[in-house]
Amino acid sequence: MKKITIFVLVLMISVFSLMGIFHPKVNAAFNQNQLIGDNTFSDSNSMSSASIDAFLNQFGNSCISTNSGFAAILPTGYSPAGGFTYGGYSTAGQVIAAAAQVYGINPKVLIVTLQKEQSLVTGGVNFCNNGDNNKYAAAVGYGCPDSGTTYSYSGVSLYRRNGVVVSTVGPTCVNSAAKAGFSQQVIRAAWLLRFGQQRSLGNTGWAVITGSWDNSDDLTTCYAGPMTQGSFSRCRGNAPTFFDGYTTIDGTAVHMNSGATAALYWYTPHFNGNQNFYNIYTGWFGDPNSGCPNASNVTGATSGSKLMTYKIGGAPRLTFTQLNNTGSGCTELHSMNAGFQSWLLHSATAMNATDPATGTIVALQSPIDNQEGLVNVLYSGSNGNVEIHRMSPNLLNFPGYYDVPTNLGGVTPTTGKFVSGDYLGRGYQQLAYVLFSNGTGHVEVHLFDPSLRTAVGYYDVATNLSNVSSTTGTFVSGDFLGRGYDQLAYVLYSNGTGHAEVHLFDPSLRTAVGYYDVVTNLTNVSATNSSFVSGNYLGRTYDQLIYGIDSNGTGQVETHMFNPQLTLATGYQDIVTTLGGFNPTL
């Protein structure tokens, strides 16, 4: 975190330009409020260890390239309880890649930080072997205060060059009796930057390193750095506090537009150092605020279009989402203003486009921090069970913000549906998996516990509802009767009446048929032309059920709002929106 003078910065830029290393996007505009996007910052797979070493070898005088004979102690075998174990000496690329993978940070961020702090990437003639080994012990400036205060170490292996182990007695920025030097600097910087990003976004579930080296993770430690805007907790278990997102940097109020921006200002609390970071990153790797990292659509997959309700500023908004085939290559979210005639928000989230056959998007007000957000429910994760990946409140950090493997298995798009609601009147929403037909022959409702880890066994209910499939009807949640809790509703597309029917579940979630059954005036309803959503769009004391129909000859999506008795949809409030047609089955 040492500062680099303007003269040195200009000299570095000139040298880089002469070497032909700078990326064509070097002139991308610097925004002090948005140094780098969270999606780019968290892209730990952007470079392999081999590609990192190849990048370093482009610089003829690099201090840490394989061509220079540099090698460092290799961190291996990480676990949250035990930290890293260590192997023999290896390349800088392998050290950087290992730290990036463990802490979920882009290795490009670490490469740029190595250059920003000690110029080890480009090096220079008579720069790497001039006897100043402290540049390796302070490789990324971790623990190096601006005052220049240093600690002492002795007998510590810093690195190896051309087969010769280098250790020394002298000043360093990290006081440790164990594996010090280059590897420790890179690992700790990776942790600190990722920790600052996650905690500034309100993720108190992200751990910290404690102990003399890195031998344990501690969730109880509080975070004291800049915060992004929103209601978050600094400490695990504390009530959320609203933060406006502003931090004073060199006497200027700066808004933390991303958690990554907050992390960089926490690491280096000055403009010149972060301007330097931005210039180097842009010159080598392009604009750090552009779209999803390595984004592309999934070839041959459907678009995953979906109507849903998503709260923005506490107000329910009719929202159109797409998992795939979007202009940005990201999962996109588009929310409408009240009245459904204009757009409030267009957002390309940090989640890359994905195949909708593998998962779905659900809006959920999390019991963890009471924040409204989006979760991607992955039908079958790497362990064979459902996985839940939660986006950060600003939708710019995913995955890694909140990733949960559950105990729920055997789920496909046709076996059941995921919905959310405050079904038990506890003041927070719970994710529910509604299984269409199981061994009982009836629908089953499985509520997730507040941690989102347990569905099977936490609250399992066999209902009196039978003969349900993905084509006969759908499930939607809302406080339709204004009772202060959400009712689960089953909308039967077409029964013997020829009209859609609405069946509300009782508070125990066991009874649907007979508890509150309504034959509506809605006809010609099927899974191929319609979608049902709910929300308090009119600012009343209850949620309104909405039937969204694709096109219907107008070329636009139509919304038909049900009356409070749930009997009338057509004619109660019919609106042709500005949203173009979509396929509700995707």
Side-chain angles (χ1 to χ4, degrees), residues 319-586:
T319 298
F320 175 71
T321 63
Q322 276 187 296
L323 289 172
N324 191 39
N325 296 332
T326 58
S328 63
C330 309
T331 293
E332 292 187 3
L333 176 145
H334 307 274
S335 296
M336 307 192 83
N337 283 305
F340 313 146
Q341 294 302 301
S342 61
W343 293 100
L344 171 68
L345 173 71
H346 297 286
S347 176
T349 72
M351 177 180 167
N352 282 7
T354 187
D355 188 343
T358 63
T360 188
I361 294 287
V362 179
L364 174 69
Q365 187 171 352
S366 171
I368 303 298
D369 56 12
N370 205 35
Q371 288 286 318
E372 178 78 16
L374 292 181
V375 296
N376 175 234
V377 182
L378 189 62
Y379 295 134
S380 181
S382 57
N383 62 357
N385 288 357
V386 167
E387 293 182 7
I388 298 172
H389 301 275
R390 183 183 174 211
M391 297 186 193
S392 60
N394 60 9
L395 305 180
L396 295 179
N397 187 30
F398 177 95
Y401 177 71
Y402 198 92
D403 301 331
V404 180
T406 75
N407 69 342
L408 184 62
V411 177
T412 71
T414 59
T415 57
K417 183 173 181 179
F418 290 91
V419 292
S420 66
D422 181 8
Y423 304 108
L424 305 180
R426 295 181 173 178
Y428 58 83
Q429 291 186 334
Q430 290 167 274
L431 184 65
Y433 172 61
V434 184
L435 180 61
F436 294 141
S437 180
N438 200 18
T440 62
H442 288 225
V443 168
E444 295 183 6
V445 180
H446 302 271
L447 291 190
F448 284 76
D449 71 324
S451 74
L452 299 177
R453 288 178 169 82
T454 303
V456 180
Y458 175 71
Y459 192 99
D460 302 330
V461 176
T463 76
N464 69 343
L465 188 62
S466 59
N467 300 319
V468 176
S469 71
S470 59
T471 59
T472 58
T474 190
F475 293 90
V476 63
S477 299
D479 185 2
F480 304 110
L481 304 180
R483 295 181 173 180
Y485 59 85
D486 291 330
Q487 292 92 46
L488 181 65
Y490 171 62
V491 182
L492 179 61
Y493 293 137
S494 181
N495 202 12
T497 62
H499 290 235
E501 296 182 8
V502 178
H503 300 269
L504 292 191
F505 283 75
D506 73 329
S508 73
L509 298 177
R510 289 177 169 82
T511 302
V513 180
Y515 173 70
Y516 191 99
D517 303 328
V518 176
V519 178
T520 76
N521 70 340
L522 195 59
T523 58
N524 300 319
V525 180
S526 73
T528 61
N529 68 1
S530 62
S531 179
F532 289 87
V533 295
S534 72
N536 188 2
Y537 297 102
L538 301 181
R540 298 179 179 177
T541 58
Y542 59 89
D543 289 337
Q544 295 87 50
L545 181 65
I546 284 185
Y547 168 61
I549 185 170
D550 171 44
S551 295
N552 200 31
T554 64
Q556 306 296 113
V557 171
E558 295 182 9
T559 61
H560 301 273
M561 186 175 291
F562 283 76
N563 64 351
Q565 295 75 37
L566 302 178
T567 56
L568 299 178
T570 304
Y572 178 70
Q573 191 181 70
D574 304 327
I575 295 176
V576 177
T577 74
T578 56
L579 172 62
F582 75 105
N583 188 341
T585 64
L586 301 181

Side-chain angles (χ1 to χ4, degrees), residues 264-285:
L264 289 175
Y265 278 120
W266 190 40
Y267 198 89
T268 303
H270 302 288
F271 285 128
N272 61 347
N274 285 294
Q275 173 81 68
N276 189 20
F277 176 95
Y278 182 84
N279 288 346
I280 297 171
Y281 193 105
T282 304
W284 286 347
F285 304 117

Side-chain angles (χ1 to χ4, degrees), residues 91 106 166 169 172 175 179 193 218 255 265 272 289 306 337 341 366 368 399 464 526 531 563 570:
T91 68
N106 194 330
V166 177
V169 176
T172 183
N175 180 21
K179 308 278 195 299
L193 287 166
D218 178 13
H255 192 268
Y265 278 120
N272 61 347
N289 293 301
K306 183 177 182 180
N337 283 305
Q341 294 302 301
S366 171
I368 303 298
N464 69 343
S526 73
S531 179
N563 64 351
T570 304

